[in-house]
Amino acid sequence: MTILCEGQHLFVAELSYLAPMAEVDALLEPHRAFLREQYAAGRFLASGAKVPRDGGVIIAIGTERAEIEALFRLDPFQIAGVAQYRVIEFNPTMVAQGLR
């Protein structure tokens, strides 16, 4: 099983909440629908809340940083201004056995 095809990179996106939790929670279902769409499209590998819950983390696959940043601008959290993203791109040089 390989996680990356030729030309693909991994991205770690850190979300930081900018609004009170009540505002974040009000958008949780639209945010999760966005996540489900991206998983179905094969763009996301993992996601979840940070501990403590002041944001979240998403691991994504893409070919260009600009593509991933544009994708995250479609997140209802980003659209409503309740969260901001910090995107880190990396090329794994080592992976767990079975992932390459």
Side-chain angles (χ1 to χ4, degrees), residues 26-82:
L27 292 166
L28 197 53
E29 187 47 44
H31 169 71
R32 287 181 177 159
F34 165 77
L35 294 176
R36 285 189 295 271
E37 289 174 12
Q38 303 316 314
Y39 277 106
R43 293 183 186 109
F44 288 176
L45 295 177
S47 60
K50 293 191 300 187
V51 178
R53 188 176 170 224
D54 60 0
V57 175
I58 298 171
I59 300 174
I61 298 174
T63 56
E64 295 181 15
R65 181 185 190 96
E67 163 200 6
I68 294 298
E69 290 173 342
L71 179 63
F72 287 131
R73 285 194 292 274
L74 301 175
D75 182 353
F77 279 177
Q78 180 91 355
I79 292 168
V82 302

Side-chain angles (χ1 to χ4, degrees), residues 1-47:
M1 173 178 128
T2 62
I3 57 172
L4 295 176
C5 296
E6 186 67 32
Q8 289 185 320
H9 300 180
L10 286 178
F11 297 85
V12 175
E14 178 186 22
L15 290 80
S16 296
Y17 296 144
L18 303 173
M21 287 308 298
E23 291 180 42
V24 172
D25 287 342
L27 292 166
L28 197 53
E29 187 47 44
H31 169 71
R32 287 181 177 159
F34 165 77
L35 294 176
R36 285 189 295 271
E37 289 174 12
Q38 303 316 314
Y39 277 106
R43 293 183 186 109
F44 288 176
L45 295 177
S47 60

